[in-house]
Amino acid sequence: MKLKPFVQAALALATVVAATPAVHAAAQVEVLHYWTSGGEAKSIAELKKMMEAKGVAWKDFAVAGGAGENATTALKARVIAGSAPTAAQIKGPSIQEWGQEGVLANIDAAATEGKWDSLLPSVVSNVMKYKGHYVAVPVNVHRVNWLWVNPEVLAKAGAKAPTNMDEFFVAAEKIKKAGLIAVAHGGQPWQDTTVFESVVLGTGGAAFYDKALVKLDQAALTGPQMLKSFETLAKIKTYIDKDAAGRDWNLATAMVINGKAGMQFMGDWAKGEFTAAGKVAGKDFLCLPAPGTEKAFTFNIDSLAMFKVKNADEQKAQLSLASAVMSPEFQEVFNLNKGSIPVRAGVSRAKFDACATRSMDDMAAASKAGGLEPSMAHGMAIDSAKAGAIQDVVAKFMNSAMTPQAAVQALAKAAKTK
Ligand code: GAL
C-alpha cells in the first residue's frame, strides 16, 4: 500500500483540524466494516448495543462487498482525506502495512488492563501489534476450509456426504443428474480464491499448502500438486450454474439453505446465514471439512484496527471499544451469530453448536499436528500486493479457457509481485 505521501499530508491537515473544536459528539466511535449480510449484520449489531449501553454513540460505516475490497478502497479515501474512522476491519499482514503509514493508534492501555497477552495465543497477539504495541483487537477465528451441505439435497439425489475429492465429484454428479445445482458459488475473485485454496489444501495437504501459498516457494507453485489443483478446480467449474458471475457469497449460501443447490465451499461466516435463517447444524445443514482437508485448518482472524484520533474523549471511547471487543460477553454473542469461534481464552463453549465446537477441537488438533495454516484468500498469509496478483490469476482461470498449465505459470509469476 503506497499511501505515504498522501497520508503524511492528511496527517498534517488533521493536526490543523485538531486545533478547531471537535465536530463529532464526544463519546462516539465510527467503525468501518463490511458485515452487511443477514448473519453479519446481526453480529455487528451486538457491538453497537454494547457500546451504546456504555454511553458511547455508534456511527456505522458499513461498506458492502464480501471480503472487504470495497471497504479497503473507502478506508483509503477517508485516511487520505484526513478523516479516518475510529476503527476499521483490517486483518493479518495488512495491519503492519497500515502501521507503516503511521496512522494507527496505540491501544496498549486497553490491552494491559484486559491482560490480552495472557488471553491470546502469541501468534495472534503478534499480528495485532505494530512495533511491539497493540494497534488492533481480534474479534474471532473463522475457519475457511469448510464445505456447507444441504442433506435433503443429498438425499433427493441419492448421494452421500463427501469426505474426499473423489466422493465429492460422485456426489456432485448425482446432484447434477437430479436436476439441482451441485456447487453454489458466486463468481467474484475472492470467492474463486476461497475455493482454490481449499482445493490446494485438499490436493497437497497442509505442508504443501504452506510451501505454496504461504512461503510462495517457486518449486511448489510450479510442481505437480499445483497442476493437479488447477485440474480439480477446472472440474469443479463444471458443477457451478451459469448465473454465478458476480453473485454475492450469501446469495450462494441461500441457494444451499433453500435446497436449490447442494454444496458450497466457504468459510464459516456462511454458518451465520444458516443460523440467521433458523437452521440447525447437523440436521438442516452439514458443515464438513472441505474434501480431503479434515486434518487441516485454515484460519481467518477478523480484527478491528484502531486509527489515531484527535482528542482525549475520542481516545477514551476508542479504548472502551477495544475492551468491549475482547470481553467474553462480546466474544460469545458475536461469534454465535457470526459462525466463527472466540479468539480469546475463557469463553464458555456451552452455547456453541456442533460446527463451532468441531471448529474449536479441529483447530486445537491441527495446531498440535502442524495443520494450522493462515488463509491466503482472506489476507492472513501474504502481503496484499501478492495476494491481489494471485487472486487475479485464479479469477482469470475460473472465467476463461485458461489451461491448468498456463495457470500454474501465471501463478508462479504473480507470487513474485512486489
Ligand atoms: C471474510 C471476513 C469475514 C466475512 C467474509 C465475507 O474475509 O473475514 O468476516 O465478512 O469475508 O465478507
Side-chain angles (χ1 to χ4, degrees):
M1 191 172 25
K2 292 183 186 69
L3 278 181
K4 201 124 223 156
F6 297 99
V7 170
Q8 271 159 0
L11 282 180
L13 184 71
T15 318
V16 177
V17 174
T20 58
V23 261
H24 297 304
Q28 174 181 273
V29 288
E30 184 182 21
V31 182
L32 169 65
H33 63 90
Y34 45 93
W35 289 323
T36 55
S37 77
E40 291 175 328
K42 274 182 115 174
S43 314
I44 190 71
E46 294 295 340
L47 188 55
K48 176 178 190 242
K49 252 194 251 166
M50 229 169 241
M51 294 312 291
E52 286 173 350
K54 291 181 180 214
V56 177
W58 177 272
K59 195 168 170 199
D60 203 44
F61 185 2
V63 182
E69 207 175 310
N70 302 342
T72 304
T73 308
L75 178 63
K76 284 181 185 164
R78 284 284 300 269
V79 174
I80 288 167
S83 62
T86 317
Q89 195 185 337
I90 301 175
K91 50 186 179 163
S94 282
I95 296 174
Q96 302 307 310
E97 296 173 18
W98 282 100
Q100 281 153 22
E101 301 293 341
V103 291
L104 297 185
N106 179 328
I107 54 166
D108 280 347
T112 309
E113 196 195 302
K115 304 194 171 60
W116 294 6
D117 276 343
S118 65
L119 295 171
L120 295 172
S122 57
V123 283
V124 177
S125 57
N126 288 341
V127 176
M128 303 300 140
K129 291 176 187 173
Y130 178 65
K131 294 202 169 144
H133 299 287
Y134 277 98
V135 292
V137 58
V139 296
N140 63 4
V141 181
H142 272 303
R143 183 184 197 177
V144 180
N145 61 316
W146 283 120
L147 183 73
W148 303 92
V149 177
N150 183 323
E152 239 179 69
V153 171
L154 288 187
K156 261 191 210 160
K160 72 178 188 59
T163 62
N164 57 41
M165 260 316 162
D166 291 341
E167 289 177 13
F168 169 82
F169 285 119
V170 172
E173 192 55 33
K174 288 191 172 165
I175 297 170
K176 196 175 175 180
K177 288 233 166 78
L180 295 161
I181 297 164
V183 179
H185 182 67
Q188 296 175 346
W190 75 269
Q191 293 187 58
D192 297 339
T193 312
T194 300
V195 181
F196 168 71
E197 84 172 18
S198 281
V199 169
V200 170
L201 187 66
T203 307
F208 174 73
Y209 173 97
D210 194 81
K211 258 193 228 149
L213 299 185
V214 182
K215 307 262 168 22
L216 302 179
D217 174 79
Q218 284 288 319
L221 286 166
T222 52
Q225 281 156 319
M226 191 53 78
L227 187 64
K228 180 93 202 296
S229 300
F230 277 109
E231 284 165 359
T232 304
L233 199 57
K235 199 164 166 197
I236 292 176
K237 274 207 287 190
T238 66
Y239 292 101
I240 295 171
D241 68 307
K242 61 174 184 14
D243 298 326
R247 178 189 287 140
D248 286 329
W249 67 271
N250 52 316
L251 300 181
T253 307
M255 289 162 63
V256 180
I257 294 176
N258 63 32
K260 266 181 90 174
M263 311 184 274
Q264 182 187 19
F265 287 89
M266 190 48 67
D268 45 21
W269 44 95
K271 200 192 76 188
E273 300 306 296
F274 285 97
T275 309
K279 303 293 181 190
V280 177
K283 178 175 153 275
D284 304 318
F285 68 96
L286 311 176
C287 49
L288 306 175
T293 72
E294 195 171 344
K295 294 207 159 56
F297 189 110
T298 36
F299 64 85
N300 171 21
I301 297 174
D302 286 315
S303 49
L304 294 178
M306 303 292 166
F307 282 81
K308 283 183 179 157
V309 288
K310 290 160 198 152
N311 63 47
D313 284 337
E314 286 180 88
Q315 194 176 26
K316 220 173 123 199
Q318 183 176 58
L319 291 174
S320 152
L321 173 70
S323 304
V325 168
M326 269 292 282
S327 69
E329 297 78 22
F330 173 76
Q331 294 264 331
E332 179 180 75
V333 71
F334 178 87
N335 288 306
L336 284 170
N337 285 300
K338 188 76 167 69
S340 38
I341 57 175
V343 64
R344 54 157 285 171
V347 181
S348 159
R349 53 158 81 193
K351 291 189 187 152
F352 286 90
D353 67 12
C355 299
T357 50
R358 169 154 200 188
S359 185
M360 292 170 191
D361 294 342
D362 286 1
M363 186 177 172
S367 171
K368 265 198 204 137
L372 187 60
E373 292 293 333
S375 165
M376 186 277 297
H378 291 275
M380 293 287 114
I382 54 179
D383 70 59
S384 55
K386 290 185 170 65
I390 289 178
Q391 187 173 282
D392 289 347
V393 171
V394 177
K396 189 165 174 208
F397 181 75
M398 289 296 280
N399 292 295
S400 70
M402 191 181 204
T403 64
Q405 286 80 0
V408 161
Q409 293 313 316
L411 186 77
K413 194 165 161 231
K416 291 184 183 160
T417 305
K418 290 254 178 351

